Amino acid sequence: MTEATSHSFKAEVSQVLHLVVNSLYSHKEVFLRELISNASDALDKRRFEALTDPKLSESGELKIRILADEKAKTLTISDNGIGMTAAEMEQNLGTIARSGTREFLSKLQKAKEASEQGLQLIGQFGVGFYSAYLVAERVDVVSRHAGHEEAQRWSSDAQESFTIAEAVRPEAGTDVVLYLKEDQAEFLKAQRLRDLVRRYSDYIGHPIELAVAGESAEAPKFERINQASALWQRSPSDVTEEQYSEFYKHLVHDFEPPLAHRHFKVEGTQLFAGLLFLPRRPPFDLYDPNAKHGVRLHVRRVFVMDDAEELLPKFLRFVRGVIDSEDLPLNVSRELLQDSKLVRVIKKQVVNHSLSMIESLAADKPDDFLKFWGDFGAVLKEGIHFELEHRERIAKLLRYESSTQSGLTTLGDYVSRMKEGQSAIYYATGTSRSLLESSPHLEALKKRGYEVLFMTDGIDPFAVSSLGTFADKPLVSAMDEKLELGNETLSDDERKADEELKKNAEPLIQRFSAVLKDKIKEVRLSSRLTDSPLCLVVPEGGLAPHIERLMMARQMGVVPQKRILELNPAHPLIVGLERKDQEDPASVAQWIELLYDQALIAEGSPVDDPAAFAQRLTRLLTQNAQA
């Protein structure tokens, strides 16, 4: 037998272990759930891989065993699952092999005084194995990979390093041996362990057996302590809220209960059962385009794959759960999932039940729904843009801030408040409510008493464009090139004065066009402005300025678009410029440049040349002060 080799933990792992051991004090019993969950995953993996490799078939029943040895002060969690090689041990137990590790550490360090949040983060970032050090001063992992003859022992005291050496194990699987701290002897008591398994792991689909080794030389006798029946196959009336919660925590490795769940069974041309959950917090990789998503897929209670994204569209990527089909073949592959009528039927039902779960949350628990919306609303909106058949249902769930309401409002509530004669739902897109509230584009709408919805998510311009209408009312952007607000009844004198203003502004329009010819598409008079001298308008089919900047920053091949400049002919500044254009035309050009930069600032866009803008502003202010 070769000597043990010593390895240093990756720097991030050392920090994680230090924080786990020294900073997280409460709810230490969750370590048992985490280790049982890992053992269950190993059993599932062996059963699945044995479908294509008979050498991996187990000789007996797949099971998990817990052995408490009061004399040795050790607690051992064993399984006869897939096992690990030495290389896999080094990778899985010596490295946090997931992206976002540094982000995790940053959050965990901030949360170290709040153990609840810290434990939640441990689960979220997939390092639940290290929770063993909440109760153990040393951990040994003895494992033999299925199909291999040799076994390996990994050992560490959670300091700076770990060792790997050859070991002996008569069959494939893994033993996790915890050498408990002096003050953790409670986890050697049979009743304590039995209660924890029934509370946290009763739903595990494999037998969990418990034995306590005493002073007697006789081999300990194991007893089964869980039901070992798939939770999703039970009747909902037989499942408690606590059981749903614990199953979710096992499935997702989360330390918080879900916001909502949906338990269903579909019978007919196909037979399958499902259990879906809404997480309480978003995962750190929610917006990572390469992040895995989907539900866990079982076929006739046999685990087939995690993250079956073929059953769940991207706009529902935050949904977690399990689907168990009676009709798919056990050796189903991702290629088959991508081109299967059976899968399309399942996916339709999964989407339907996911949306129903969200709808129920909105109706029954509005406060919880607002939390959900804050975390996942932007993702759900993607469904309006990409999934035609679900647009109407998603549209009823939308929530927006409003120019006339506090908090968030729905499109339906907006329609119920529309003014008499108002023909459209008006909205404005931008980076923040504060910016939109002061936008010059809203002036005429506010004057008429029309409510405007504020849309501040990057997906909003695409989603609202795809939606088009709601309750037979068109959705119209306040920044739209062709904004039509209807003609107000004007007296003959008012109409004559209005025509005179427009006529007087024509030379100035030409001057603006000449000075800004390289920057704008067109100059015209505005019907949307009442208090501001001018604004920039997106031409039909163009991108909102903040979206254009975002896409350019990401080098998505977007060509900068020229926009339309609208002038308010009644504004004193524009009237004054008309007069100055006749008296001192040479000075008008710098005023025009200054006003163009002002329009950029008003919409939240950067000016082209900040230094030139500052010099121009100083020069004009100085001239005005000395006049």
Side-chain angles (χ1 to χ4, degrees):
M1 183 177 293
T2 59
E3 294 184 0
T5 58
S6 182
H7 307 259
S8 296
F9 280 117
K10 300 295 184 183
E12 294 88 348
V13 179
S14 293
Q15 295 175 58
V16 169
L17 289 171
H18 177 78
L19 287 168
V20 167
V21 173
N22 297 298
S23 302
L24 305 176
Y25 297 106
S26 64
H27 299 291
K28 294 187 176 184
E29 71 265 17
V30 297
F31 82 91
L32 187 61
R33 180 184 69 198
E34 289 301 299
L35 297 181
I36 289 175
S37 180
N38 290 346
S40 175
D41 290 343
L43 296 174
D44 286 339
K45 188 172 183 181
R46 180 171 184 177
R47 177 184 284 176
F48 174 64
E49 294 193 5
L51 294 174
T52 55
D53 188 351
K55 292 186 300 182
L56 302 183
S57 297
E58 64 281 3
S59 56
E61 182 183 26
L62 292 176
K63 64 178 67 174
I64 300 167
R65 283 188 158 182
I66 302 171
L67 175 62
D69 191 326
E70 294 179 318
K71 184 177 180 180
K73 297 180 181 178
T74 60
L75 182 69
T76 302
I77 295 89
S78 301
D79 67 75
N80 54 341
I82 193 66
M84 290 180 285
T85 63
E88 288 170 335
M89 280 185 162
E90 183 174 357
Q91 177 68 16
N92 296 339
L93 306 181
T95 304
I96 300 178
R98 289 183 61 173
S99 61
T101 301
R102 293 190 184 279
E103 179 189 354
F104 161 70
L105 280 166
S106 174
K107 290 185 177 182
L108 187 57
Q109 286 168 337
K110 293 176 182 177
K112 64 183 180 181
E113 298 301 325
S115 58
E116 287 280 0
Q117 184 181 359
L119 287 171
Q120 188 274 332
L121 286 169
I122 289 176
Q124 181 181 356
F125 282 77
V127 291
F129 166 75
Y130 301 123
S131 64
Y133 288 101
L134 291 170
V135 298
E137 59 187 11
R138 190 180 105 216
V139 177
D140 287 358
V141 180
V142 179
S143 191
R144 173 178 164 184
H145 194 285
H148 291 230
E149 294 298 325
E150 65 279 0
Q152 305 290 332
R153 179 187 300 272
W154 179 99
S155 183
S156 177
D157 58 3
Q159 297 301 313
E160 300 299 325
S161 64
F162 60 91
T163 61
I164 296 178
E166 288 186 11
V168 176
R169 197 177 195 278
E171 62 174 2
T174 301
D175 301 323
V176 180
V177 184
L178 280 63
Y179 293 84
L180 297 182
K181 299 173 183 177
E182 288 291 336
D183 59 350
Q184 302 300 322
E186 63 179 289
F187 297 111
L188 296 174
K189 303 299 182 182
Q191 190 58 47
R192 176 73 162 130
L193 295 168
R194 189 179 291 109
D195 290 343
L196 289 176
V197 169
R198 287 176 179 170
R199 177 182 177 187
Y200 289 122
S201 306
D202 195 51
Y203 51 80
I204 293 289
H206 303 284
I208 301 175
E209 298 178 348
L210 171 66
V212 176
E215 299 294 335
S216 172
E218 294 183 8
K221 295 181 179 179
F222 286 88
E223 62 167 324
R224 178 138 153 206
I225 56 174
N226 72 320
Q227 291 190 40
S229 63
L231 195 74
W232 57 88
Q233 290 292 344
R234 302 182 198 173
S235 169
S237 61
D238 296 333
V239 184
T240 67
E241 287 299 317
E242 185 178 31
Q243 287 173 321
Y244 281 126
S245 178
E246 293 308 324
F247 175 72
Y248 163 78
K249 293 174 183 178
H250 155 75
L251 185 71
V252 183
H253 295 283
D254 200 344
F255 282 82
E256 290 186 298
L259 272 178
H261 61 78
R262 184 85 170 181
H263 190 173
F264 61 93
K265 182 171 285 189
V266 176
E267 298 176 326
T269 55
Q270 281 198 62
L271 180 62
F272 61 91
L275 186 49
L276 304 174
F277 298 95
L278 290 181
R280 191 166 292 272
R281 297 176 189 269
F284 71 97
D285 56 359
L286 182 63
Y287 294 100
D288 182 349
N290 299 316
K292 293 182 179 180
H293 77 281
V295 292
R296 175 177 284 200
L297 177 62
H298 291 244
V299 175
R300 296 186 289 280
R301 266 68 65 206
V302 176
F303 167 76
V304 172
M305 67 179 71
D306 276 316
D307 308 313
E309 60 185 25
E310 295 80 5
L311 301 180
L312 197 70
K314 277 264 187 178
F315 80 92
L316 290 172
R317 59 184 176 270
F318 49 81
V319 173
R320 299 291 184 264
V322 59
I323 298 297
D324 191 351
S325 170
E326 300 291 333
D327 303 299
L328 288 170
L330 270 173
N331 60 346
V332 63
S333 64
R334 289 201 177 273
E335 290 73 20
L336 179 61
L337 288 179
Q338 292 167 0
D339 186 27
S340 167
K341 182 179 179 180
L342 293 176
V343 170
R344 288 192 290 273
V345 172
I346 295 175
K347 180 178 180 179
K348 184 176 181 178
Q349 288 289 342
V350 171
V351 172
N352 175 56
H353 283 285
S354 295
L355 291 176
S356 295
M357 175 170 55
I358 298 170
E359 290 163 347
S360 296
L361 184 69
D364 302 334
K365 298 180 179 180
D367 290 341
D368 283 348
F369 177 79
L370 289 180
K371 172 173 175 47
F372 161 82
W373 185 257
D375 290 332
F376 303 108
V379 177
L380 189 64
K381 291 175 189 175
E382 294 175 13
I384 292 179
H385 183 61
F386 293 109
E387 302 281 344
L388 175 62
E389 64 180 301
H390 306 301
R391 284 177 188 168
E392 291 189 10
R393 288 185 73 179
I394 299 173
K396 294 177 182 179
L397 294 166
L398 297 176
R399 299 290 190 274
Y400 294 109
E401 291 188 284
S402 157
S403 62
T404 65
Q405 307 295 312
S406 60
L408 300 179
T409 189
T410 67
L411 292 176
D413 288 341
Y414 178 103
V415 171
S416 71
R417 294 190 295 266
M418 287 175 61
K419 298 285 186 180
E420 184 177 353
Q422 181 180 343
S423 60
I425 299 170
Y426 295 105
Y427 67 89
T429 60
T431 55
S432 69
R433 175 182 182 132
S434 59
L435 179 67
L436 292 174
E437 278 185 316
S438 57
S439 171
H441 298 85
L442 275 56
E443 291 173 358
L445 292 167
K446 288 180 178 179
K447 182 179 179 181
R448 287 167 170 79
Y450 292 167
E451 182 178 356
V452 181
L453 298 176
F454 298 141
M455 302 186 178
T456 55
D457 286 328
I459 187 64
D460 281 327
F462 306 101
V464 74
S465 175
S466 299
L467 184 59
T469 63
F470 181 85
D472 297 324
K473 304 290 184 182
L475 287 107
V476 176
S477 171
M479 290 114 165
D480 189 62
E481 173 190 358
K482 298 179 179 179
L483 180 67
E484 297 288 346
L485 299 178
N487 295 322
E488 294 183 334
T489 302
L490 300 176
S491 67
D492 290 341
D493 289 343
E494 288 173 330
R495 185 174 291 104
K496 184 177 180 180
D498 186 57
E499 291 173 354
E500 186 70 17
L501 283 172
K502 293 178 179 178
K503 181 179 179 181
N504 293 339
E506 288 178 2
L508 189 63
I509 289 176
Q510 295 176 8
R511 177 58 70 91
F512 265 87
S513 298
V515 173
L516 300 175
K517 62 182 179 180
D518 295 330
K519 298 179 179 179
I520 60 173
K521 177 183 178 182
E522 176 189 350
V523 181
R524 68 187 186 193
L525 298 180
S526 177
S527 61
R528 80 185 78 218
L529 298 173
T530 60
D531 302 320
S532 298
L534 77 173
C535 69
L536 288 165
V537 177
V538 177
E540 187 174 8
L543 293 170
H546 66 294
I547 299 299
E548 180 185 83
R549 293 195 303 273
L550 179 64
M551 297 178 74
M552 290 177 65
R554 294 182 178 179
Q555 300 181 337
M556 299 176 68
V558 175
V559 178
Q561 61 186 348
K562 291 184 177 180
R563 282 175 285 146
I564 298 167
L565 183 70
E566 290 191 352
L567 302 179
N568 178 3
H571 195 279
L573 182 53
I574 299 301
V575 174
L577 279 182
E578 292 170 3
R579 185 172 58 252
K580 186 175 284 290
D581 191 37
Q582 298 172 359
E583 300 171 355
D584 183 16
S587 67
V588 173
Q590 58 184 332
W591 279 100
I592 291 174
E593 292 278 7
L594 183 69
L595 286 172
Y596 172 74
D597 286 344
Q598 176 188 319
L600 288 172
I601 293 171
E603 71 175 15
S605 295
V607 297
D608 298 331
D609 189 341
F613 167 74
Q615 292 169 2
R616 194 178 296 118
L617 179 61
T618 300
R619 184 164 56 250
L620 291 173
L621 288 174
T622 301
Q623 293 173 2
N624 185 68
Q626 294 174 346

